[in-house]
Amino acid sequence: TVKPRKFPPGPKWFPIVGNAGEVNKLREKTGYLYKAVKELCNTYCKDSPLLGLKIGKDKIVMVNSLDANKEMLYNEDIDGRPKGIFYQTRTWGERKGVLLTDGELWKEQRRFLIKHLKEFGFGRKGMGDIACTEASFMLDDVANLISKDGAKNGIYMHNFFNTYILNTLWTMMAGIRYQASDPQMIILQDLLFDLFRNVDMVGALFSHFPILATIAPKMSGYKDFIRTHKRIWRFLREEIARHKENLDEDVDSRDFMGVYLRNLREHGERDTYSEGQLVAMCMDMFMAGTETTSKSMSFGFSYLVRNQTVQRKAQEEIDRVIGRNRLPTLDDRPNMPYNEAIVHESVRHFMGRTFGVPHRALRHTTLAGYNIPEDTMVVSNFTNILMDETLFPEPYTFQPERFIVDGKLSLPEHYFPFGLSKHRCMGDVLAKCNIFIFTTSMLQKFSFLPVPGEPLPSLDHIDGATPSAAPFKALVMPRT
Ligand code: HEM
């Protein structure tokens, strides 16, 4: 309960629980974790860019200003990822993967993943082709949906993109795509939904209070966490086994599983390379790459339905640059600053309602003049940057124009929703490619209108491990 010397300001720490009670109360009152943090900042750190908390066993520092975030992201002493039951149990008690690891394993495996995805998946052509193929399937599905009678009442859009985003990732990882109605797709979506439920950006109840995993496994979320992870490990291991069986025949297959397994067969399990590591990396790609992208798109579309002027401008650019006779490709992107700006504005609205992936102080260090003890969790509060009205005027409106200067796309240096420096997002290129291809393909073929007699999509969102646009429908009309 005694705060370390010069620890960032924040509420008083109570024995055992720390500030868990106060944070929870505020979260319940405001409905959102980011609003709870904002209220605490207003009370305790008017003159400080940092808020210092303790939740159960964890010391947590929220980084609230632009400058302090840059300082933190470039400080190598804060390049760790949190340790503990939550972060290890997800990978059967060992630290594996690339999203929540640090040290040699993270460095080596991050390098491998980036190199091979560049060659086979993230390379412009491979990635663009996968997105375009998936977009065609998506357009067919929309056409089928709106040919049905019920479509007159609008189509739910807030989770519409999940299937297609998931397919682009799964194609790169395992060379597989599923129809939206395929039982495997339904299982996969269900697994991911469970994976995100009951956790937030800084962990779960049992990670702050590990004793609860033993004495109250159900109530603390531990039991569900284990159950869901066992299911996802099984799902991935089954696919890995299938890949292993076909490794000799599929010599040309370029998916990540094949590449990793061939590497293991050639050099054996060694250093940081293992089949378990492959399972963990696939899980990380799902966790980091699916909801982030599809939810950015649903925020984007909720605003496009609200703001028909933006939609019309995007369609004018699509008609002018591409026309109606062929689908958009990545080659069109440099000629379409307005649509590209829509991509960035969609991502801003998503990240502007959440926190970054937590870092951990690897050793005692300082940040913005405060002491940060070893093992403190340090978290970027993206709301304070991406929704700051001095940096992004009228932040809760959707204005692609804010990213356009003299007719060209121009991103300010305070726009870094994918992070900065060594832990920078590994999927930003893929995310931007998918959002561009999917959004322009949809807007080329269809218009998305408010449903007559129903309210416009709400500006409120649903809190969770990642924020979701509130459920909304659009009346989808083919463009003539
Ligand atoms: C709109 C979509 C996305 C956003 C806004 C986003 C944002 C971020 C952010 C803020 C981080 C943390 C950076 C840090 O800790 O300093 C991150 C890390 C990461 N992202 Fe993304 N991401 C997106 C899509 C993706 C996709 C599609 C993939 C994979 C295919 C992906 C894979 C990763 C991985 C593996 C990391 C961990 C990197 C590391 O620690 O070295 N992300 N992302």
Side-chain angles (χ1 to χ4, degrees):
T1 57
V2 180
K3 291 190 191 185
R5 210 176 62 80
K6 274 202 91 187
F7 192 70
K12 179 175 175 307
W13 294 357
F14 290 97
I16 303 172
V17 292
N19 306 123
E22 196 162 351
V23 172
N24 253 348
K25 221 167 26 197
L26 282 173
R27 190 174 187 173
E28 268 167 27
K29 184 182 117 191
T30 59
Y32 299 97
L33 182 59
Y34 85 96
K35 283 194 182 166
V37 169
K38 195 170 189 167
E39 286 211 9
L40 289 170
C41 290
N42 288 343
T43 315
Y44 296 102
C45 36
K46 284 203 175 69
D47 303 319
S48 161
L50 308 182
L51 169 71
L53 299 172
K54 188 152 186 277
I55 310 283
K57 68 169 186 46
D58 297 316
K59 291 190 218 49
I60 303 180
V61 169
M62 294 285 178
V63 187
N64 296 313
S65 74
L66 175 63
D67 289 344
N69 267 291
K70 283 194 195 156
E71 184 185 337
M72 172 247 182
L73 293 171
Y74 283 109
N75 180 345
E76 292 193 3
D77 291 342
I78 314 182
D79 259 353
R81 291 291 192 203
K83 287 194 295 200
I85 178 168
F86 177 83
Y87 300 93
Q88 260 128 277
T89 310
R90 63 188 289 278
T91 41
W92 48 95
E94 296 169 28
R95 289 191 91 198
K96 291 260 185 272
V98 281
L99 177 65
L100 294 166
T101 49
D102 48 41
E104 267 319 298
L105 174 126
W106 160 68
K107 268 192 209 147
E108 195 168 16
Q109 297 292 318
R110 180 180 161 109
R111 223 179 295 126
F112 184 89
L113 186 61
I114 288 181
K115 176 169 179 280
H116 288 281
L117 287 178
K118 225 180 225 152
E119 274 172 39
F120 305 129
F122 284 13
R124 252 185 109 261
K125 175 131 178 39
M127 183 177 61
D129 286 354
I130 292 171
C132 291
T133 308
E134 200 54 40
S136 302
F137 284 113
M138 176 176 69
L139 295 175
D140 289 347
D141 287 352
V142 178
N144 276 337
L145 270 176
I146 61 176
S147 66
K148 295 192 177 129
D149 247 11
K152 285 196 292 284
N153 302 325
I155 293 178
Y156 274 112
M157 297 296 303
H158 55 286
N159 51 10
F160 184 79
F161 302 101
N162 300 3
T163 304
Y164 310 99
I165 297 295
L166 200 52
N167 268 333
T168 58
L169 262 184
W170 199 218
T171 304
M172 275 178 204
M173 284 152 60
I176 298 172
R177 77 164 300 278
Y178 301 120
Q179 293 290 351
S181 55
D182 190 309
Q184 286 294 92
M185 173 52 90
I186 294 166
I187 292 176
L188 196 52
Q189 295 217 1
D190 188 43
L191 275 173
L192 292 178
F193 178 79
D194 276 354
L195 209 57
F196 279 96
R197 215 172 37 152
N198 300 327
V199 301
D200 61 38
M201 270 304 186
V202 288
L205 194 56
F206 70 86
S207 65
H208 307 306
F209 303 98
I211 180 81
L212 293 180
T214 316
I215 61 171
K218 181 101 187 85
M219 181 280 279
S220 65
Y222 180 72
K223 204 167 165 189
D224 282 349
F225 185 84
I226 294 285
R227 195 180 51 91
T228 304
H229 279 81
K230 282 192 173 153
R231 284 176 63 209
I232 195 147
W233 299 334
R234 197 176 328 122
F235 182 91
L236 291 169
R237 284 199 186 273
E238 278 171 12
E239 192 46 54
I240 288 174
R242 268 191 292 275
H243 264 68
K244 272 165 74 176
E245 273 171 31
N246 300 327
L247 217 51
D248 291 324
E249 288 142 48
D250 292 350
V251 277
D252 291 330
S253 83
R254 288 286 185 250
D255 61 71
F256 183 69
M257 265 185 194
V259 171
Y260 202 96
L261 287 171
R262 258 185 237 117
N263 182 290
L264 284 184
R265 199 163 64 173
E266 218 170 287
H267 305 288
E269 293 214 347
R270 69 210 184 276
D271 307 324
T272 63
Y273 290 85
S274 64
E275 209 171 293
Q277 172 63 17
L278 173 60
V279 174
M281 279 205 273
C282 292
M283 208 161 70
D284 284 352
M285 302 280 277
F286 277 144
M287 281 213 78
T290 51
E291 291 220 337
T292 43
T293 316
S294 59
K295 288 183 172 182
S296 296
M297 285 201 69
S298 46
F299 274 110
F301 271 75
S302 74
Y303 278 98
L304 289 174
V305 172
R306 289 182 70 86
N307 192 333
Q308 293 290 313
T309 312
V310 172
Q311 195 175 148
R312 253 191 314 278
K313 283 190 189 169
Q315 287 172 329
E316 273 162 25
E317 187 180 66
I318 293 168
D319 292 348
R320 182 165 42 77
V321 177
I322 304 172
R324 302 278 184 98
N325 297 328
R326 65 168 180 85
L327 290 175
T329 70
L330 273 191
D331 291 336
D332 298 312
R333 200 161 50 172
N335 304 319
M336 298 173 69
Y338 195 78
N339 279 276
E340 214 182 337
I342 287 181
V343 173
H344 292 286
E345 187 66 342
S346 302
V347 175
R348 186 183 71 83
H349 273 281
F350 168 72
M351 276 312 286
R353 289 167 162 92
T354 188
F355 302 93
V357 182
H359 286 226
R360 174 177 64 92
L362 292 167
R363 53 194 74 84
H364 177 95
T365 184
T366 59
L367 179 61
Y370 292 95
N371 282 341
I372 308 291
E374 184 176 342
D375 285 339
T376 303
M377 220 189 267
V378 187
V379 184
S380 289
N381 183 352
F382 274 98
T383 306
N384 277 32
I385 305 172
L386 296 172
M387 294 300 181
D388 177 337
E389 55 200 6
T390 58
L391 301 174
F392 297 94
E394 300 182 65
Y396 288 92
T397 60
F398 196 80
Q399 296 183 29
E401 290 80 3
R402 66 174 92 245
F403 294 124
I404 295 184
V405 177
D406 295 333
K408 292 205 173 77
L409 184 81
S410 170
L411 300 175
E413 56 90 58
H414 51 260
Y415 176 77
F416 49 89
F418 297 99
L420 293 168
S421 192
K422 300 233 168 91
H423 275 290
R424 196 192 143 86
C425 176
M426 293 163 70
D428 59 338
V429 182
L430 172 68
K432 286 183 277 186
C433 158
N434 278 345
I435 302 176
F436 177 81
I437 296 291
F438 285 14
T439 305
T440 50
S441 302
M442 287 287 244
L443 293 178
Q444 182 189 42
K445 295 275 183 266
F446 306 103
S447 288
F448 297 82
L449 310 175
V451 179
E454 291 196 15
L456 289 174
S458 163
L459 291 183
D460 286 336
H461 68 269
I462 313 276
D463 206 8
T466 54
S468 320
F472 72 98
K473 281 186 190 168
L475 191 65
V476 184
M477 306 295 286
R479 292 182 71 211
T480 44

